Amino acid sequence: QATLTSIKQKGYIACGSNPGLAGFGVPDAQGRWAGLDVDFCRALSAAIFNDAGKVRFIPLSAKDRFTALQSGEVDILSRNTTWSMSRDTTLGLDFPAINFYDGQGFMVKKKLGVTSAKQLEGASVCTQQGTTTELNLADYFRANKLKYEVVAFASADETFKAYDSGRCDAFTTDASGLYAERLRASAPDDNIVLPEIISKEPLGPAVRQGDAQWSDVVRWTHYAMLNAEEAGITQGNADQMLKTSDNPDVKRILGTEGKYGADLGLTGDWAYRIIKLVGNYGEVFEKNVGQGSPLKIQRGLNALWSKGGLQYGPPIR
Amino acid sequence: MTAGPQTLPLSFVRRDAVPPAPAPALVSGPLAWLRANLFSSPGNAALTLIALAIVVLVAPPLLRFLVVDAVWSGQNRDACRPEVVGHPVGACWAFVADKINYFVYGSYPIEERWRPNVFFALMALGVGWLLWLDAPRRDLGAAYFFVAFPVASFVLLSGVPALGLAKVPTSLWGGMLVTLVVSLVGIVASLPLGILLALGRRSRLPIVRLFCVIFIEFWRGVPLITVLFMANVMLPLFLPGDVSVDRLVRPLVGIALFSAAYMAEVVRGGLQAIPRGQAEGAMSLGLSPWHRMRLVILPQALRIVIPGIVNSFISLFKDTSLVSIVGIFDFIRTIESARVDPAWAAPTVVMTGYAFAALFYFVFCFGMSRYALFVERRLASGQKR
Amino acid sequence: MSNPIPAEARAAPRVSPLYDPRIRAAAYQILLLLAVGLAAWAAVGNAAENLRNARVASGFGFLGNTAGFDVNQTLIPFAAANSTYGTAFLVGLTNTLMVAVIGIVLATLLGFTVGVARLSPNWIVARLAGVYVETLRNIPLLLQLLFWYVAVLASLPAARDSYAFGSSVFLNQRGLYVPRPMLAADAWAIPAAFGLGLAAALAFAARARREQARSGRRLPVWSVGIGLVAGLPLAAWGVLALSGAAPLSFEVPVKGTFNLRGGMQLYPEFVALVLGLTVYTAAFIAEVVRSGIQAVSRGQSEAARALGLKPGPTLRLVVIPQAMRVIVPPLTSQYLNLTKNSSLAVAIGYPDLVQVFMGTVLNQTGQAVEVVAITMAVYLTISLLTAFVMNVYNRRVALVER
Amino acid sequence: MTASTLTAPATLPDIDPDLAPQNTSATRLASAPEAVTLEKVNKWYGAFHVLRDVDLTVRRGERIVICGPSGSGKSTLIRCINRLEEHQAGRIVVDGIELTNDLKRIDEIRREVGMVFQHFNLFPHLTVLENCTLAPIWVKKMPKAEAEAVAMRYLTRVKIPNQAAKYPGQLSGGQQQRVAIARSLCMSPKIMLFDEPTSALDPEMVKEVLDTMVGLADEGMTMLCVTHEMGFARQVADRVIFMDEGQIVESNTPEAFFRAPQHERTKLFLSQILH
Amino acid sequence: MTASTLTAPATLPDIDPDLAPQNTSATRLASAPEAVTLEKVNKWYGAFHVLRDVDLTVRRGERIVICGPSGSGKSTLIRCINRLEEHQAGRIVVDGIELTNDLKRIDEIRREVGMVFQHFNLFPHLTVLENCTLAPIWVKKMPKAEAEAVAMRYLTRVKIPNQAAKYPGQLSGGQQQRVAIARSLCMSPKIMLFDEPTSALDPEMVKEVLDTMVGLADEGMTMLCVTHEMGFARQVADRVIFMDEGQIVESNTPEAFFRAPQHERTKLFLSQILH
Ligand SMILES: Nc1ncnc2c1ncn2[C@@H]1O[C@H](COP(=O)(O)OP(=O)(O)OP(=O)(O)O)[C@@H](O)[C@H]1O
Ligand SMILES: Nc1ncnc2c1ncn2[C@@H]1O[C@H](COP(=O)(O)OP(=O)(O)OP(=O)(O)O)[C@@H](O)[C@H]1O
Ligand SMILES: [Mg+2]
Ligand SMILES: [Mg+2]
């Protein structure tokens, strides 16, 4: 059964999310979710239902995320998952888009006086098991002929707690995660993130392989947000743009020209709904992880291509 | 007679009874008690000193931590930081007080928290009814506990919009609520299932017996945590693609099957203790096999194994803490996740969280084990009731 | 005297099939078979279809693939570069077994001590043991493990300010560091002497037994045995040392930038796991021991003492052999529990079977069904083997009754 | 052979063997319909042949005492009659119904046949009254009030109506056995089987149970009774059957049986029992 | 007071009280050395005064039967003699050695004093032979072969040499108690203590144990025996001692004791025991 159809039938999207990564997906004490990955699911919901709230978030640890997707328990895995070849080919997954270009980095205690990952000879490193991080770590130290000791934990929580309590000298995960986790340290300012990025970590939503329509919806939801940012459409000015703009790009995005939405299996104003109800990519980024958030992550690689970054939305036409 | 002056002649009759004398100080009284119980030999005295040393080493710091230096109120971590308050800080109970709602209900919506409260009350009623041996109509109690209460709880907790109760997805449940739900489901499901398995294992039908033996030995042979992983990861895989099972229900299934296997062995012990004559007596009265079981054998067998059942419930209750490993927000998990809250980052917060959790489990488990002991004694003394 | 049963005796007279117990029995069993078969068939079918839909690879081929991750505590060589998932499985298994064995030894020692203490005539000792048992038994193991790991870890100093015991033993948050003994090339004489001493001690014990049977005289088995076992290697070492060689050297841990280097390291995960398992299981073993000893009636030791046996031999020859029969079966199931409970390592990051195999390997390969099946099979095998051995033991020591 | 056997003659009035009990007259029974018929019944436990070609006809109203050395198959015989044990060859017809594997018939027969065990087998978790009403309510589907009325009648009959609310554990052995008898009677059985009903009792209690059984016999109940209480046999039995090695060795009226046993085994046995 | 007590007179030949047993003559014993001496022995359990000023001299070769109501302190008295219980005041001298807290002496005394318990207390995990050789081997340091020879001699003496390889659990109660006696004898004790050796036995088995004890007595063993087997007392005792409330109330030769008890308590007690 096509995923989109079943979603419409169910009336909600089952969204596999991180059980707690600040800025990407984290519930508060009342169970309200916030974050970049979470908002992506909201964007999907907006496109499909014209309501950003028809999402059920299902917290998944690194360990059970793929099986949850495979078994159909979630419709989409929007949980800072690295797109790698083996995952794409052997796990039966598809990665329609990359919503965050990341790379693995290290965090250490300031007082160690370490300024480069190359100085980590003989260090203990805490990492989360079952991640690409774990593999990259092994590669990096091997390539640089450094000795190290790995301490792996089942959940991100435990991993960071172990680092924070001094079990390890260094903590490694995707750079975005480093910033997010640092907020939870007992003394955030005592930790620094090392400059080295040791891997490419293209993070994005994943869906089951073999459902091209659903793949497209997910892919173009992301691109719509990128195109909106590029075209200057924001949550605030979307209504106004809808009425006043003559720019054909804008009109195509907002659905007043062409029938691109219908071709996706959605309504014509699908992208308008996303922007109106959730926002464009830049807005979502800044709100959740950028300057509007405690994480204060720079756009960097995630800036639009036109601003020197890698985020490049193929044209809607 | 050559007997000595004080010794007894061959023929002797006592004329004056010797009255009972009070014991010398070394035989009874506090001094004697001390001597007999603490200093009966040099080795024993040494042991006493060692034990006393342990007590002195452990008890005062423990007391100091838990009570004397403890912080009882405060709004955030400053209340529990020694450099802020200016004296050593023990347990940070203020932290527990601040988070207590989270520990009890998890993320259950605040405006709906009366529902868990009603659930707790219903549960207390059912447990009390069942455990109070002289309670009236305990058969009704059992029906209530094993049928009415689970249904009511389900309706209450997860909500039925038709009845005006908003749906509360299980992902919001947490804390003690989840711990209690998981263990109750464990016991409610495992008892009937365990009885069936126990009967099956004693069946004359070889295939039935074989299945039951394999089932029981399988679950008893693997660690619970692998069962939980399996339930979590593989259960959805074994179901048709479009059926999805709630994330809380999955470990519940695992726990229920797991504890059913243990329960089966407990019940089997009870069945074995019933003499054959009971079945024969029932048979000779013309009772059908089903009636025989239900009216004669099971009531007796279950009564005998109440302590065993309570004990396996204790294990079950403790084991529910493992669901936190597969990502269910049970009580332990809420403690774990609360303790990293930067707002409460203070040196003793971690210990306080664990101490609180330990206290919670201890009170429940110790209470139940005392209860089991009480029932056991009463059964032992009460062959005559 | 007893005729064989005639064949025709089995031929039952006409019975309505509906009420024939034999037919009913067959029907029930066929129904059960059908139900179970159907359920299994549906489950397997669903799994196959789900896996096919998900395009997940299946089969056990993955065990030969390169792992690509590191594990910090291994008993067998393991390296990210060239070790396979199969090796990772072995690493997990050996780690599990190591924890189990060490835990069992320690829990037995502690458990017997506490169990005996609970029966001590000394009031305070008995009470203390009682408090220990009641407290530890009634708190979930997981909580205890977390406590040992997190709380104890937190109270130890950072690697740079390790506690030093002498110049070669260090304790810090990364664990306990002790010197690693390094045998020189010609030091084979020392283990050889140890083996010799062991053999000699055993031979002496056997001779002592014969001697006692022959003349009633008892030779000092224990002192001579210990002397042989400990003395011979010492002597060998002395000879080697005098002859100028350095038979035994120690690699002393030294401070590096981050951690201590060299020496032997006991990881905190390992220590917490062993400690938690030991302390928890010992509480249960103590109860087993107590009930075992109490099962031997007072009359037994009174009878032995009335015969003139001293307390030592009374315990050794009369009480313990009887108590062991009661103790061993539940003790074994406690051992099994400990082994199974070692899977909680996953909560504190010790690389046991569940953590390495069911955790990392499962996630890197995605082959849930195979990995879970293998893991469960391992535990099941351990359990069934133990149960089998226990049954044999029980049959051998069962008291002979009329 | 045990103390109770030895003391039994003392607890029952000794009956002059010449003074035949009032109702042994064979004529009364000859015309009565058959209650139990055994034809060439054989039974094995594994390879052990417990019952060998046992033939026995019990007429309605007849009272039979079975005796014989331990292990001779007395209990087995009695238990075959209400199918607590299965026989492998031959026919057993009880009250006109042949015992086969048919579960329905077995249930019917068990309703017609009451059984009293050596060890009472009362249900300890039920009161005396509940013990008695259990089967009427669940097997006969009798209303509870009626079942209780019936039960009280029979409890009165065995002289313990005032114990109705107690639990079996609170009663003496003799009282328990009388409850067991009352419990059987509540199903209004046509035939009563007794398997050494007094041998687990302390000597003082034997008499009260035997008295109850004598009362039953006087009312004309069909009875098969395994017992070594020879006083009882003399007083009430129409026939005494002696079993040995799974066979019926001798069968006779009590006076003939005790006065002039025919078979060697019987003589030997009686010489041990009586003195 | 129990069944065994009641039947005991039947199991031992009744002895005419006028016909004194061959060896009660006080003269034979008067000159014998003292085997056990108790002087003003007092003992408390907590605040409860169990033994009150007990004085008793047992001469070598003397056979003493102790009787009295339950709880009167008989067992306690006997157990004080081999120091299974500690006394708190007075002196106990056994075979010339005074019982003090000196462990070495206690061990010596226990070697000289054999004890047979009511519940046999055989070691169930050892064969009969091993039960008998355990103490000789470990306490007397006897070679195994010799210990086994001794054990077989005593087992033959108590008439069960053919049970040597069995385990206690396989024997009847009477056989077990005889093994217990043999086990004590294997240490060649000078004094034997018996604490109600027959009261846990079925009536049929009492006789075989009593026979064994009579045999021992005939050989001149010093014996202190707590028992209610009055037949035994009459047949073998040199003296019967009656205890009540921790005191020795009456002491006399059996014939005098049974024929004319002096003390009120004794009379009452005997009237309950005998009939
Ligand atoms: N379930 C059984 N399996 C095998 N043999 C049995 C079984 N029940 C009884 N027996 C044997 O069958 C024989 C007859 O047993 P049964 O109980 O009928 O004897 P009995 O005449 O009632 O003896 P008793 O006077 O001791 O009660 C005995 O040898 C007994 O050992
Ligand atoms: N260990 C003990 N602690 C306290 N009181 C005890 C103990 N052992 C015995 N007693 C009490 O001492 C009293 C004498 O006991 P003892 O066993 O010597 O009596 P007895 O004459 O042998 O009685 P019986 O005929 O019942 O064996 C009894 O009242 C008993 O309850
Ligand atoms: Mg019988
Ligand atoms: Mg006594």
Side-chain angles (χ1 to χ4, degrees), chain A residues 266-284:
Chain A
L266 303 173
T267 55
D269 63 346
W270 63 283
Y272 163 76
R273 293 173 173 184
I274 294 174
I275 298 155
K276 180 69 199 152
L277 296 173
V278 182
N280 69 32
Y281 180 76
E283 287 177 299
V284 172

Short mmCIF file of all heavy atoms in Angstrom, two decimals, chain A residues 266-284:
data_model
loop_
_atom_site.label_atom_id
_atom_site.label_comp_id
_atom_site.label_asym_id
_atom_site.label_seq_id
_atom_site.Cartn_x
_atom_site.Cartn_y
_atom_site.Cartn_z
N LEU A 266 -0.69 15.71 -3.93
CA LEU A 266 -1.11 16.65 -2.89
C LEU A 266 -1.95 17.75 -3.54
O LEU A 266 -2.27 17.67 -4.73
CB LEU A 266 0.12 17.27 -2.21
CG LEU A 266 1.08 16.28 -1.59
CD1 LEU A 266 2.33 16.99 -1.09
CD2 LEU A 266 0.40 15.56 -0.44
N THR A 267 -2.27 18.75 -2.77
CA THR A 267 -3.06 19.84 -3.32
C THR A 267 -2.13 20.86 -3.96
O THR A 267 -0.91 20.83 -3.74
CB THR A 267 -3.86 20.54 -2.22
OG1 THR A 267 -2.95 20.93 -1.20
CG2 THR A 267 -4.91 19.60 -1.65
N GLY A 268 -2.69 21.80 -4.68
CA GLY A 268 -1.88 22.78 -5.38
C GLY A 268 -1.12 23.68 -4.42
O GLY A 268 -0.01 24.11 -4.69
N ASP A 269 -1.73 23.97 -3.27
CA ASP A 269 -1.08 24.91 -2.36
C ASP A 269 -0.20 24.22 -1.33
O ASP A 269 0.05 24.74 -0.25
CB ASP A 269 -2.15 25.75 -1.65
CG ASP A 269 -3.05 24.88 -0.78
OD1 ASP A 269 -3.00 23.63 -0.94
OD2 ASP A 269 -3.79 25.43 0.05
N TRP A 270 0.26 23.05 -1.67
CA TRP A 270 1.02 22.26 -0.69
C TRP A 270 2.21 23.01 -0.13
O TRP A 270 2.43 23.02 1.09
CB TRP A 270 1.48 20.94 -1.31
CG TRP A 270 2.45 21.14 -2.47
CD1 TRP A 270 2.14 21.52 -3.72
CD2 TRP A 270 3.86 20.97 -2.41
NE1 TRP A 270 3.26 21.60 -4.49
CE2 TRP A 270 4.34 21.27 -3.71
CE3 TRP A 270 4.77 20.60 -1.43
CZ2 TRP A 270 5.70 21.20 -4.02
CZ3 TRP A 270 6.10 20.53 -1.75
CH2 TRP A 270 6.57 20.83 -3.04
N ALA A 271 2.95 23.70 -0.99
CA ALA A 271 4.15 24.38 -0.51
C ALA A 271 3.77 25.61 0.29
O ALA A 271 4.41 25.93 1.30
CB ALA A 271 5.04 24.76 -1.69
N TYR A 272 2.70 26.25 -0.13
CA TYR A 272 2.22 27.41 0.63
C TYR A 272 1.90 26.99 2.06
O TYR A 272 2.25 27.66 3.02
CB TYR A 272 0.97 28.00 -0.04
CG TYR A 272 0.19 28.90 0.86
CD1 TYR A 272 0.62 30.20 1.13
CD2 TYR A 272 -0.98 28.46 1.48
CE1 TYR A 272 -0.09 31.02 1.98
CE2 TYR A 272 -1.70 29.26 2.33
CZ TYR A 272 -1.25 30.54 2.58
OH TYR A 272 -1.94 31.35 3.44
N ARG A 273 1.23 25.86 2.18
CA ARG A 273 0.86 25.38 3.52
C ARG A 273 2.11 25.18 4.38
O ARG A 273 2.15 25.53 5.55
CB ARG A 273 0.16 24.03 3.41
CG ARG A 273 -1.20 24.09 2.74
CD ARG A 273 -1.68 22.67 2.57
NE ARG A 273 -3.03 22.59 2.08
CZ ARG A 273 -3.67 21.44 1.93
NH1 ARG A 273 -3.05 20.31 2.22
NH2 ARG A 273 -4.90 21.42 1.49
N ILE A 274 3.14 24.58 3.73
CA ILE A 274 4.35 24.31 4.50
C ILE A 274 4.92 25.61 5.05
O ILE A 274 5.23 25.74 6.24
CB ILE A 274 5.41 23.62 3.60
CG1 ILE A 274 4.92 22.25 3.17
CG2 ILE A 274 6.75 23.52 4.34
CD1 ILE A 274 5.83 21.57 2.16
N ILE A 275 5.01 26.58 4.14
CA ILE A 275 5.66 27.82 4.56
C ILE A 275 4.79 28.56 5.57
O ILE A 275 5.27 29.08 6.57
CB ILE A 275 5.92 28.70 3.31
CG1 ILE A 275 6.87 27.95 2.37
CG2 ILE A 275 6.52 30.03 3.72
CD1 ILE A 275 6.75 28.37 0.94
N LYS A 276 3.50 28.54 5.31
CA LYS A 276 2.58 29.25 6.19
C LYS A 276 2.57 28.62 7.60
O LYS A 276 2.59 29.31 8.60
CB LYS A 276 1.18 29.20 5.56
CG LYS A 276 0.13 29.90 6.38
CD LYS A 276 0.36 31.41 6.38
CE LYS A 276 -0.38 32.06 7.55
NZ LYS A 276 0.27 33.28 8.00
N LEU A 277 2.53 27.32 7.60
CA LEU A 277 2.33 26.66 8.90
C LEU A 277 3.64 26.34 9.62
O LEU A 277 3.67 26.22 10.83
CB LEU A 277 1.51 25.38 8.72
CG LEU A 277 0.08 25.62 8.20
CD1 LEU A 277 -0.60 24.29 7.91
CD2 LEU A 277 -0.72 26.41 9.22
N VAL A 278 4.73 26.16 8.83
CA VAL A 278 5.98 25.77 9.48
C VAL A 278 7.10 26.78 9.22
O VAL A 278 7.86 27.14 10.12
CB VAL A 278 6.41 24.37 9.00
CG1 VAL A 278 7.69 23.95 9.70
CG2 VAL A 278 5.31 23.35 9.26
N GLY A 279 7.19 27.22 8.01
CA GLY A 279 8.23 28.21 7.70
C GLY A 279 9.17 27.70 6.63
O GLY A 279 9.12 26.52 6.26
N ASN A 280 10.02 28.60 6.14
CA ASN A 280 10.99 28.14 5.15
C ASN A 280 12.20 27.54 5.87
O ASN A 280 12.29 27.58 7.09
CB ASN A 280 11.36 29.25 4.17
CG ASN A 280 12.18 30.35 4.83
OD1 ASN A 280 12.96 30.07 5.75
ND2 ASN A 280 12.02 31.57 4.36
N TYR A 281 13.12 26.99 5.08
CA TYR A 281 14.22 26.26 5.68
C TYR A 281 15.04 27.14 6.62
O TYR A 281 15.37 26.77 7.75
CB TYR A 281 15.11 25.67 4.58
CG TYR A 281 16.28 24.90 5.14
CD1 TYR A 281 16.09 23.63 5.67
CD2 TYR A 281 17.57 25.43 5.16
CE1 TYR A 281 17.14 22.91 6.19
CE2 TYR A 281 18.64 24.73 5.68
CZ TYR A 281 18.43 23.47 6.20
OH TYR A 281 19.47 22.77 6.74
N GLY A 282 15.32 28.35 6.14
CA GLY A 282 16.14 29.25 6.93
C GLY A 282 15.47 29.57 8.27
O GLY A 282 16.11 29.58 9.33
N GLU A 283 14.17 29.80 8.21
CA GLU A 283 13.45 30.12 9.45
C GLU A 283 13.50 28.96 10.43
O GLU A 283 13.76 29.12 11.62
CB GLU A 283 11.99 30.43 9.13
CG GLU A 283 11.78 31.77 8.46
CD GLU A 283 10.33 31.97 8.11
OE1 GLU A 283 9.78 31.16 7.31
OE2 GLU A 283 9.71 32.91 8.63
N VAL A 284 13.23 27.80 9.90
CA VAL A 284 13.21 26.61 10.75
C VAL A 284 14.60 26.38 11.34
O VAL A 284 14.76 26.09 12.51
CB VAL A 284 12.74 25.39 9.95
CG1 VAL A 284 12.91 24.13 10.76
CG2 VAL A 284 11.29 25.56 9.54
#
